[in-house]
Amino acid sequence: MKKVIVRRHHPNHPWIFSNEIIKAEDPSPGEVVRVEEGKKVVGSGFYNPHSLICVRLFADKEEDFSKNLVFERIKQAYNKRKDLGESFRLVYSESDGLPGLIIDKYNDYLVIEVNCLGMDKRKELVVQALIELFNPAGIYEKSDENLRKLEGLEIVNKKVYGEIPELIEIEQDGIRFLVDIINGQKTGFFFDQRENRRKITEIARGEILDCFCYTGGFSLYTASKGNVLGIDSSESALELAKRNAALNNLKIDFELMDVFKALRKFYNEDRRFDTIILDPPSFTKSKKKKADALRGYKEINLMAMKLLNKDGVLFTSSCSYHISDEEFLFTLRDSAKDAKADFIIIHKGTQAKDHPVLLNFPESNYLKAYFLQKV
Ligand SMILES: C[S@@+](CC[C@H](N)C(=O)[O-])C[C@H]1O[C@@H](n2cnc3c(N)ncnc32)[C@H](O)[C@@H]1O
C-alpha cells in the first residue's frame, strides 16, 4: 500500500487536507493509501490529489477496502437503525465508516449517493453487499450533488439493480408518504427532520404555516393539530404533497409560492399564524456564499417572527453546514431584535438518529433547529 506522510493529524478526524500532506508515494487518484504521521500509522483511506480533501480515512490501521469491510460496515449501520421501521437513512458516510457514501432505505428499495472518487471506484462492492444483505427489489443511484464536481466526478442518476417504480410508499410514525426517488429532491425524502417533526407536532396549534413544505413532511405530521397551509416553489413537490395528504385522509392547503414573497404578502395582508415552520434548503454550499446565506436566514426568520401571534411557536432550522450553530443563533437574535419581539427557546433540535454525529468530525453535524415561543 502506498504511503502518504502528514504533518499533523487531528486524532479521529476522517479527512486529510492537501495542505497537511508532506509527501505522497505517487498513488493514483482513488487508490487506497496508508497515512503516516512521523513513525505512527494514522490509518487507511481513499486518495484524491485533485480534491481539497486529499485523503478520506475509513480505517485507523493499514487495511484494504475489502468486500468484507463494506459488508460488515453496512451490517453494523443497519443494526443501529433497524428499530426505525422500514425506511430510514441506512448509511451516513463517514459517521458509518464509509466515506462519501449515503444510502437511504425506502422499504424494499435502496438509493445510493456517492460523493468521493475512492468510493465511486468501488460502488460495485457496495451494490453487491446490499444485494446480499437485503435482497432489495431495486437499487437506484442518485449521485447528483455538486460535491461530486470537486472530486472530478460526473452526475449519475440511474437504476443499478432490479426495478424502481415511479413512486414508493413509505411510512413514518404511522403517516404514509409517496416518495419519488427518480425526480424528487436529494434521494426523495428528508429523513433528517424525523425527530423535529415529532417534536413540533407536540407543540403545534391553531393556524399553522409550513414554509418550504416539499412533499408535506411537516404539514402531514402537524395536520391533526390545526389548519395547515404548506407553501413551496416546486410544483412537482406540491403535487406529491397533495397526494400524500389525500393518502392519509387529511385536509391541508398547499400553495405554490416563493417563501420570501409569501411572508411579505401575508404581513401586508395582516394575516397571522400560531405556528410557523421554516425548513429551507441549504442556502450555501460554499464558505464564500456564507454572507448571502445569512441574509436569507435573517429575512425569513425576521418575517416569520413578525407573522406569529403572541405565544406562537416558530420552528426554524438550517441545514447549511458552513453556517455554525453560533452564527445561526446570532441571526435568530438579530431577527428577533428587528421584529421587536422576544422569544423563549423551548427546545433545541438536531438531525435524526439515522444521521449520527461523530464527536471528532464536526462536519457531520449540519442540522441546527430551534423551537422558539413568542412571549
Ligand atoms: C429541505 S427541503 C424541505 C423539506 C420539507 N420541509 C420536508 O419536511 O420534507 C427545501 C424545500 O424548499 C423549497 N424551496 C427552495 N427555495 C424556495 C423558495 N424560495 N420558496 C419556496 N420554496 C422553496 C424546495 O423546493 C424544497 O422543497
Side-chain angles (χ1 to χ4, degrees), residues 207 209 261-274 276 303 306-309:
E207 294 301 311
L209 176 64
K261 290 184 188 148
L263 296 177
R264 286 188 182 280
K265 181 170 175 281
F266 296 148
Y267 186 74
N268 292 335
E269 289 170 350
D270 260 339
R271 192 163 170 188
R272 297 293 181 264
F273 298 88
D274 303 297
I276 299 182
M303 288 311 297
K306 286 187 177 180
L307 284 172
L308 270 182
N309 287 324

Side-chain angles (χ1 to χ4, degrees), residues 185 189-190 193 197 210-219 231-234 237 257-260 277 279-283 319:
Q185 297 179 24
F189 191 80
F190 294 91
Q193 295 280 21
R197 289 189 190 111
D210 179 12
C211 300
F212 308 99
C213 67
Y214 186 50
T215 57
F218 283 95
S219 303
I231 59 175
D232 200 281
S233 58
S234 158
M257 291 178 118
D258 174 278
V259 168
F260 290 84
I277 293 153
D279 179 19
S282 169
F283 284 151
C319 62

